[in-house]
Amino acid sequence: MLALGKLLELTLAGREPAQKIQLTADGVRLRWLSEGALEVTPAQGQDDGLDLLLSAGIHGNETAPIELLDRLLQSIARAEIKPRARILFLFGNPGAMRTGARFVEEDLNRLFNGRHESSSGPEALRACELEHLAQAFFNAPDRTRLHYDLHTAIRGSKIEQFALYPYKEGRVHSRRELARLHAAGMAAVLLQNKPSIVFSAYTYDQLGAEAFTLELGKARPFGQNAGVNVERLERRLKQIIESTEPSLADASLEDLQLFSVAREVIKHSEAFILHLPADVENFSELSKGYLLAEDAGNTRWTIEEKGARIIFPNPKVKNGLRAGMIIEPATLKGIDQSVE
Ligand SMILES: O=C(O)CCC(=O)N[C@@H](CCC(=O)O)C(=O)O
Ligand SMILES: [Zn+2]
């Protein structure tokens, strides 16, 4: 297999490849760009007009998505998958991947959309680099731009696989992309309703990509991901890459669960207390009147929403960051209904 097909191995070893460009037996070009970053260009005459950014390892301990991207890239390097899309593979946080930690100094996924400028350290530098890599990749006009940022979660979840769809004022969420996510195995989508500082929000907001954070199960170390079933996503990604994806025109969204963010719970001080058991699962229901959290200055988070649920509860985050999200059921109202 081509050496560049072993991007994961190179990244974990902190090695730079001697040869930066290689061609597969089919004439597909692999180009190493930087640590954990590799661009795939279809063989001549094969490009179908899609620019696909696939990222994983933004959190270094979320290994199932890293292994998934590794399998896809190796299959491309062996000429088993024949790409008709340009692809940018990104392993987000190599330093954290090497130590099996979520991050080295700070959460990389809170440093996009310019937030890295008011920080320093390895993650701030990397966020800046990832923004530039994504920007350069999504540079060509008149092409379709799609970004999946793949994650696994700290805790178990009542809904195992789901997507988070970023928000930009004046831009409508796409029914077609929801159908595609559903076909890829996502049982739910959380529609954001304000701008954010995560990677997918950057590519959605600044680079015009359809972009999503995908949550695929519970985070485990390398080699221990048998419990994370990514078969449907992997199949769909191969189809997207090879331009053999079945039409989404008749796809039903009936059993795709939609949610929107009711409130983000921001931790403001070390006095912050979250009134949930440590092993609470994502999407656990919260009843009206429940006192969810307390913080300094008599701040209280009491549930007012009907059908409220909690996701990503984490009282250990730094002050100023999201310590959980209260979400509520949403409908397809306001979704772009067009499906080609
Ligand atoms: O399990 C958790 O608490 C966090 C899982 C995770 O890393 N989720 C992403 C979601 C990104 C988004 O809001 O689109 C994150 O928190 O960075
Ligand atoms: Zn993550």
Side-chain angles (χ1 to χ4, degrees):
M1 206 227 319
L2 297 178
L4 292 181
K6 298 183 181 168
L7 179 69
L8 178 57
E9 208 177 295
L10 288 168
T11 307
L12 290 175
R15 281 205 334 263
E16 195 167 310
Q19 236 184 320
K20 305 282 188 295
I21 295 180
Q22 293 184 319
L23 291 181
T24 70
D26 290 335
V28 173
R29 189 179 74 155
L30 308 186
R31 183 160 71 111
W32 187 90
L33 300 170
S34 167
E35 189 173 39
L38 186 136
E39 176 197 61
V40 174
T41 309
Q44 203 161 15
Q46 293 301 304
D47 192 329
D48 222 11
L50 171 66
D51 290 341
L52 174 65
L53 167 51
L54 295 175
S55 52
I58 289 287
H59 296 127
N61 61 333
E62 299 177 3
T63 62
I66 298 173
E67 290 174 351
L68 164 57
L69 294 197
D70 181 46
R71 284 195 296 278
L72 288 175
L73 178 56
Q74 292 214 25
S75 300
I76 292 170
R78 288 198 193 93
E80 291 160 4
I81 293 182
K82 301 178 193 313
R84 302 204 59 190
R86 288 178 67 240
I87 310 166
L88 177 60
F89 284 96
L90 290 179
F91 292 130
N93 193 337
M97 283 164 58
R98 287 193 274 274
T99 59
R102 186 169 168 87
F103 53 80
V104 177
E105 282 184 16
E106 60 182 321
D107 192 333
L108 175 59
N109 218 16
R110 302 293 179 273
L111 292 169
F112 292 94
N113 269 329
R115 192 56 85 89
H116 53 80
E117 282 157 22
S118 41
S119 197
S120 58
E123 273 91 8
L125 290 173
R126 185 62 171 170
C128 182
E129 185 180 25
L130 293 176
E131 285 190 356
H132 283 122
L133 286 162
Q135 198 178 25
F137 178 68
F138 284 136
N139 192 31
D142 303 325
R143 294 180 60 88
T144 305
R145 299 174 182 177
L146 180 61
H147 175 200
Y148 289 136
D149 184 33
L150 309 181
H151 290 247
T152 44
I154 295 169
R155 56 194 59 253
S157 185
K158 293 196 184 300
I159 300 175
E160 196 69 19
Q161 299 198 336
F162 60 98
L164 294 101
Y165 200 159
Y167 167 86
K168 180 176 182 164
E169 181 153 10
R171 192 167 167 192
V172 180
H173 289 128
S174 151
R175 185 190 189 284
R176 180 175 197 273
E177 293 305 330
L178 293 180
R180 180 181 252 167
L181 288 167
H182 196 30
M186 301 305 117
V189 176
L190 173 58
L191 305 168
Q192 300 277 16
N193 45 25
K194 66 181 185 62
S196 139
I197 50 178
V198 304
F199 193 24
S200 60
Y202 169 72
T203 56
Y204 185 76
D205 186 336
Q206 299 293 312
L207 307 181
E210 282 293 355
F212 306 88
T213 302
L214 266 50
E215 294 288 348
L216 305 177
K218 193 167 178 205
R220 302 209 182 280
F222 282 117
Q224 296 179 32
N225 288 310
V228 184
N229 184 348
V230 293
E231 265 171 43
R232 283 181 67 184
L233 175 62
E234 194 158 348
R235 194 176 329 125
R236 186 57 55 165
L237 286 176
K238 281 183 191 158
Q239 291 167 344
I240 294 174
I241 290 171
E242 294 196 308
S243 197
T244 56
E245 193 182 14
S247 163
L248 293 162
D250 297 327
S252 159
L253 292 185
E254 223 171 279
D255 41 329
L256 177 68
Q257 299 187 68
L258 288 181
F259 296 92
S260 62
V261 181
R263 282 181 285 163
E264 284 197 337
V265 180
I266 308 293
K267 173 178 169 179
H268 288 295
S269 77
E270 290 312 315
F272 182 84
I273 305 170
L274 190 65
H275 296 295
L276 287 174
D279 60 352
V280 67
E281 290 185 313
N282 285 324
F283 292 96
S284 291
E285 287 176 16
L286 303 169
S287 47
K288 262 185 161 179
Y290 185 74
L291 177 61
L292 176 67
E294 292 174 88
D295 208 341
N298 281 332
T299 308
R300 287 161 73 85
W301 300 86
T302 305
I303 301 302
E304 294 153 7
E305 299 80 3
K306 192 165 166 245
R309 301 184 186 213
I310 185 77
I311 62 164
F312 305 147
N314 185 356
K316 295 185 187 144
V317 295
K318 276 196 339 195
N319 293 346
L321 293 184
R322 176 175 91 192
M325 277 195 273
I326 304 167
I327 60 171
E328 59 191 348
T331 62
L332 284 171
K333 206 171 130 248
I335 303 268
D336 169 16
Q337 297 294 324
S338 60
V339 180
E340 319 94 66

